Amino acid sequence: MLRIIVLLVGISLSRFADADTIYKIVTELSPPNQTVENHKVAGTSTELVKQITHHAGIDTEFTIYPWARAYKLAMRESNTLIYSMARTPERENYFHWIGPVALFHLGFVTNSYRDDVTITTLEHAKQYKLALQRGDVAEGVLKALGFDYVLTTDIEKSYELLIGNKVDLVLDDPRYLSSMAKELNLPQDHFKFVFDVKQLSVKGYLAANYNTSIDVINKLKLAFTEISQTDFYHQVLESAPH
């Protein structure tokens, strides 16, 4: 009887501990998926993550960092989640993968007035100066394809180099150019998409540090399954943002 009581107390304390845990959720600035509104992390993918974590019944704290820092935090600290992250063989064993919360069709972007920037093949694009975010999946892909590039801490810094004509190209999804222009206080048509990089059509996942409680992981996966059947989920992953 005493053993049973001790076991029940242990289970109860474990549940209270889970209830008191605040799970850190990290991401990067990437409009319209991850934005900042009224000093809070917002955006379409953020809303999906909030719905998933709320449905799973866990308390969360969202923070935006440069991508490389967000990635290191999520890889090193238990009870830390990250989004929207490409699922690659190199990353596979460091995380629990909850599910996709974004879809990217990435390609080269330049300023709309840059009529001198014309690209018909990937090889042709190598003549132009390119900015990428440090630690982004595109860095590895384009390096393997023989590209040279300038590394920045986040996508906003890459766009700032483009706006100032310090580089000729950045990488982004054509659906998101007007959102980025708005974020940077520019006309919606300031940027133009010039070439689709087929190798960079990727899903962006919500993932959790590998040492996070398996009970919490299971709750998150179950919540994702339910949220992924909603109209809003399909709108975020399949439709152009408004």
Side-chain angles (χ1 to χ4, degrees), residues 18 212-220:
D18 285 343
T212 303
S213 161
I214 196 64
D215 180 54
V216 170
I217 296 302
N218 289 337
K219 288 178 181 178
L220 287 166

Side-chain angles (χ1 to χ4, degrees), residues 117-231:
V117 178
T118 57
I119 300 173
T120 55
T121 66
L122 272 177
E123 195 64 31
H124 188 209
K126 293 178 183 178
Q127 67 181 295
Y128 297 109
K129 196 168 184 180
L130 169 67
L132 300 176
Q133 295 77 252
R134 184 175 288 105
D136 190 271
V137 66
E139 182 185 351
V141 171
L142 292 183
K143 183 177 182 179
L145 291 170
F147 277 81
D148 292 321
Y149 41 78
V150 175
L151 288 176
T152 66
T153 55
D154 59 54
I155 195 168
E156 194 170 67
K157 297 291 192 302
S158 294
Y159 267 99
E160 287 172 359
L161 290 179
L162 179 64
I163 294 165
N165 288 314
K166 302 292 180 60
V167 299
D168 306 305
L169 300 170
V170 298
L171 270 175
D172 209 343
D173 188 307
R175 298 173 299 160
Y176 303 155
L177 300 189
S178 60
S179 295
M180 180 55 75
K182 182 180 179 181
E183 182 76 21
L184 296 169
N185 297 312
L186 294 168
Q188 287 194 344
D189 60 353
H190 185 89
F191 303 112
K192 65 180 178 181
F193 190 82
V194 292
F195 189 81
D196 181 30
V197 180
K198 301 295 185 185
Q199 296 89 331
L200 290 173
S201 286
V202 295
K203 292 178 180 179
Y205 278 73
L206 170 64
N209 175 276
Y210 195 76
N211 293 318
T212 303
S213 161
I214 196 64
D215 180 54
V216 170
I217 296 302
N218 289 337
K219 288 178 181 178
L220 287 166
K221 287 183 176 180
L222 180 60
F224 169 79
T225 298
E226 297 187 14
I227 297 301
S228 68
Q229 297 174 30
T230 64
D231 290 341

Side-chain angles (χ1 to χ4, degrees), residues 84-138:
S84 305
M85 183 165 67
R87 188 172 185 173
T88 66
E90 296 80 11
R91 295 170 174 173
E92 184 69 26
N93 294 329
Y94 290 105
F95 300 94
H96 292 284
W97 299 88
I98 308 305
V101 292
L103 179 63
F104 302 103
H105 298 291
L106 301 177
F108 296 122
V109 173
T110 191
N111 294 304
S112 291
Y113 60 82
R114 290 290 302 273
D115 295 331
D116 57 312
V117 178
T118 57
I119 300 173
T120 55
T121 66
L122 272 177
E123 195 64 31
H124 188 209
K126 293 178 183 178
Q127 67 181 295
Y128 297 109
K129 196 168 184 180
L130 169 67
L132 300 176
Q133 295 77 252
R134 184 175 288 105
D136 190 271
V137 66

